[in-house]
């Protein structure tokens, strides 16, 4: 079977909404480390890591061995029974978690983790209304769709009236039309008026990503979360930090929240937690955990196979200093992207991100301050990098942001290889 036949069957049997990258989608077949090969034998350097999910590289030996050994022992029992992999993983997670996060609950996806977090916040505070951020993405469920503030990913209108959306700390496109250098982080301070004018004045909390992933790697100012958390707690709420994309060393620290010096009351995670196996976790403080009195279950949460994989991921990160590697390789990646911006100042409007979570926002003409989104250039760059054996991601409300997030164990030479491919691609586009 070749790539062409798979593309044909995909179109025939999958929902049309299941879109693919590229004019002619790449049918990926095998991977090792930062390399992945399609069904026709062409090799690619992976600069997107399965949407920030393949955290320690494709087919990681340690992860594979852990899953294989667990599969021979026990594959599934649900949360009705304690298992060694689940309990050991919970212990490891709370050991590296920030603040007082000492209790864990496992589910199968980031959507479920966010659902759990909101429920915990509402039960613990006795309040119902919740603040989320514009440009944020929380998943596919009814609540998650209401939390998501990105029209491209909202199939149905808002169903949960308790969700209120605050201004995004999107400095490049400041929603308040202010200068980020002198605005005093006005978008964070606006949370107080939002709460006082659109809620009962008592809220369950705020759910926010340290860096907005689907939103296009929107990176808040360093002081944003300190201001925001103080306001949220003033009005009875708790801080829910969504680490689905930023967690496990991605930003150059173990958790994105640590980049902002804020301790969450509840924290969610998924994607990179198990290197591609389905798993998510919601961590919270003991006080919040104890407030939840109802019985609950997650059929696939804490699955022994996924938990074994996640345990191996944490070991791999720690023993190989992958958080530090993400920071160092991230600096090299950022430096290369800034050089590209200087070379193509018209098209590359913004470079942003932290660690191995970097983005380029493409516009019509930054040199004249014409920041009209340029999704056409984004698609062109995709096709050119594909020709040169490089896989990248995209995002943002306008579809004009390039998202770069390779595995945490990517090497310095692979960073330079990827940057060279991007540079050659811009040149092939005739980018000014």
């Amino acid at each position: 079977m070749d790539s062409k036949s798979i593309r044909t069957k995909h179109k025939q049997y999958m929902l049309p909404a299941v879109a693919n990258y590229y004019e002619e989608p790449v049918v990926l077949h095998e991977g090792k480390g930062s390399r992945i090969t399609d069904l026709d034998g062409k090799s690619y350097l992976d600069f997107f890591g399965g949407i920030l999910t393949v955290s320690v590289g494709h087919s990681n030996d340690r992860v594979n061995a852990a899953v294989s050994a667990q599969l021979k022992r026990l594959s599934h029992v649900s949360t009705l029974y304690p298992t060694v992999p689940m309990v050991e993983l919970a212990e490891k997670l709370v050991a590296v978690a920030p603040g007082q996060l000492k209790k864990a609950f496992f589910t199968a996806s980031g959507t479920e983790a966010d659902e759990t977090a909101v429920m915990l916040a509402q039960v613990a505070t006795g309040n119902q209304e919740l603040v989320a951020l514009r440009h944020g993405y929380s998943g596919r469920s009814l609540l998650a769709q209401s939390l998501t503030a990105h029209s491209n990913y909202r199939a149905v209108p808002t169903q949960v009236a308790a969700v209120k959306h605050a201004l995004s700390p999107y400095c490049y496109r400041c929603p308040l039309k202010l200068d980020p250098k002198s605005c005093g982080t006005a978008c964070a301070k606006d949370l107080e008026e939002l709460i006082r004018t659109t809620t009962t004045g008592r809220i369950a909390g705020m759910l926010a990503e340290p860096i907005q992933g689907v939103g296009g790697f929107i990176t808040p100012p360093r002081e944003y979360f300190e201001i925001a958390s103080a306001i949220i707690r003033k009005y009875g709420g708790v801080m829910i930090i969504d680490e689905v994309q930023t967690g496990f060393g991605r930003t150059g620290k173990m958790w994105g929240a640590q980049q902002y010096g804020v301790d969450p009351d509840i924290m969610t995670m998924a994607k990179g937690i198990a290197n591609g196996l389905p798993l998510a976790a919601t961590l919270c403080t003991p006080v919040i955990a104890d407030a939840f009195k109802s019985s609950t279950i997650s059929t696939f949460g804490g699955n022994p196979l996924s938990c074994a994989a996640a345990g191996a991921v944490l070991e791999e990160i720690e023993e190989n200093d992958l958080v530090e590697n993400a920071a160092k390789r991230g600096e090299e990646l950022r430096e290369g992207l800034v050089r590209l911006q200087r070379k193509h100042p018209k098209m590359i409007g913004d470079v942003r991100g932290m660690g191995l979570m970097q983005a380029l926002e493409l516009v019509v003409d930054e040199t004249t301050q014409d920041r009209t989104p340029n999704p056409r250039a984004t698609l062109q760059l995709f096709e050119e990098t594909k020709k040169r054996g490089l896989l990248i991601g995209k995002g943002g409300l306008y579809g004009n942001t390039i998202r770069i997030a390779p595995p945490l164990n990517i090497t310095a030479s692979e960073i330079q290889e990827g940057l060279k491919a991007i540079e050659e691609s811009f040149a092939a586009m005739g980018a000014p």
Side-chain angles (χ1 to χ4, degrees):
M1 190 171 289
D2 59 11
S3 293
K4 183 178 180 181
S5 63
I6 292 296
R7 284 191 289 267
T8 299
K9 289 179 182 292
H10 186 282
K11 187 174 182 179
Q12 180 179 359
Y13 297 114
M14 301 298 291
L15 287 178
V18 183
N20 299 132
Y21 280 162
Y22 308 108
E23 290 182 12
E24 185 176 82
V26 178
V27 181
L28 299 175
H29 184 55
E30 296 181 352
K32 190 68 179 175
S34 298
R35 307 283 172 177
I36 198 159
T37 305
D38 69 17
L39 200 54
D40 299 323
K42 181 173 180 178
S43 178
Y44 300 87
L45 176 62
D46 187 359
F47 253 37
F48 199 35
I51 318 180
L52 302 88
T53 298
V54 185
S55 50
V56 295
H58 295 280
S59 298
N60 180 278
D61 290 340
R62 186 195 298 267
V63 175
N64 286 356
V67 173
S68 177
Q70 183 59 46
L71 182 61
K72 294 174 183 177
R73 287 192 296 268
L74 181 70
S75 63
H76 177 75
V77 292
S78 91
T79 55
L80 290 173
Y81 304 89
T83 65
V84 172
M86 180 169 61
V87 172
E88 287 187 344
L89 177 59
E91 183 179 24
K92 289 177 180 178
L93 286 175
V94 300
V96 297
Q100 297 301 308
L101 303 177
K102 302 300 181 185
K103 298 291 183 176
F105 183 74
F106 295 108
T107 50
S109 70
T111 296
E112 295 175 83
D114 283 349
E115 288 257 1
T116 302
V118 169
M119 179 172 58
L120 286 170
Q122 291 173 326
V123 169
T125 64
N127 303 324
Q128 296 301 304
E129 292 169 301
L130 192 91
V131 177
L133 286 176
R134 297 180 188 180
H135 296 269
Y137 178 84
S138 294
R140 300 180 56 256
S141 68
L142 193 69
L143 173 60
Q145 287 272 291
S146 294
L147 289 166
T148 293
H150 197 301
S151 61
N152 296 334
Y153 286 93
R154 295 187 67 164
V156 296
T158 298
Q159 305 290 304
V160 182
V163 177
K164 313 298 178 182
H165 286 98
L167 299 172
S168 171
Y170 193 174
C171 292
Y172 183 66
R173 298 184 184 276
C174 176
L176 296 172
K177 311 302 180 187
L178 300 175
D179 184 348
K181 296 178 182 178
S182 59
C183 74
T185 321
C187 57
K189 294 173 182 176
D190 184 67
L191 283 165
E192 185 150 23
E193 183 171 347
L194 176 80
I195 293 168
R196 296 188 67 181
T197 59
T198 69
T199 78
T200 59
R202 298 293 296 175
I203 59 172
M206 177 181 185
L207 185 149
E209 304 161 89
I211 296 177
Q212 293 186 285
V214 171
F217 288 3
I218 295 171
T219 307
R222 293 283 182 176
E223 63 274 18
Y224 178 85
F225 281 100
E226 181 180 358
I227 298 170
S229 61
I231 294 171
I232 295 301
R233 287 166 177 153
K234 176 182 176 180
Y235 290 93
V238 299
M239 282 300 296
I240 305 169
I241 300 297
D242 179 339
E243 296 271 2
V244 169
Q245 294 198 28
T246 52
F248 298 92
R250 173 58 57 186
T251 68
K253 289 186 181 293
M254 189 63 181
W255 308 107
Q258 293 171 324
Q259 296 282 7
Y260 298 92
V262 61
D263 287 338
D265 301 293
I266 305 173
M267 190 167 75
T268 63
M269 62 201 70
K271 290 193 183 294
I273 188 173
N275 211 46
L277 272 73
L279 183 67
T282 304
L283 304 187
C284 66
T285 64
V287 171
I288 291 175
D290 290 344
F292 192 81
K293 306 295 186 182
S294 300
S295 297
T296 192
I297 183 176
S298 175
T299 300
F300 295 104
N303 174 274
L305 298 177
S306 295
C307 286
V313 166
L314 286 170
E315 291 172 5
E316 190 80 356
I317 289 173
E318 181 179 0
E319 292 185 18
N320 292 292
D321 296 321
L322 295 188
V323 176
E324 179 66 18
N325 190 67
K328 290 180 178 178
R329 302 291 82 79
E331 287 179 7
E332 295 161 4
L333 176 59
R334 180 59 167 263
E335 288 171 2
L337 295 176
V338 170
R339 286 196 302 269
L340 271 174
Q341 185 183 33
R342 295 195 190 106
K343 192 170 183 178
H344 304 286
K346 182 176 180 180
M347 183 177 290
I348 301 177
D350 192 30
V351 179
R352 57 178 178 261
M354 295 178 181
L356 288 175
M357 192 173 182
Q358 300 287 334
L360 299 174
E361 182 161 352
L362 306 187
V363 297
V364 169
D365 192 347
E366 178 67 18
T367 61
T368 64
Q369 293 296 289
D370 182 355
R371 292 181 172 177
T372 302
N374 197 343
R376 180 174 173 273
T378 301
L379 294 177
Q380 284 181 300
L381 186 65
F382 257 65
E383 296 302 326
E384 292 296 336
T385 51
K386 176 189 171 186
K387 291 176 186 175
R388 290 163 179 79
L390 182 71
L391 301 181
I392 54 177
K394 66 183 179 75
L397 184 62
Y398 314 104
N400 67 319
T401 301
I402 302 298
R403 295 197 286 165
I404 300 172
L408 302 180
N409 50 5
I410 196 161
T411 66
S413 62
E414 288 171 333
I415 289 291
Q416 296 308 315
E417 178 186 341
L419 286 168
K420 181 181 178 183
I422 296 173
E423 183 173 7
E424 290 176 350
S425 297
F426 271 111
M429 292 164 58

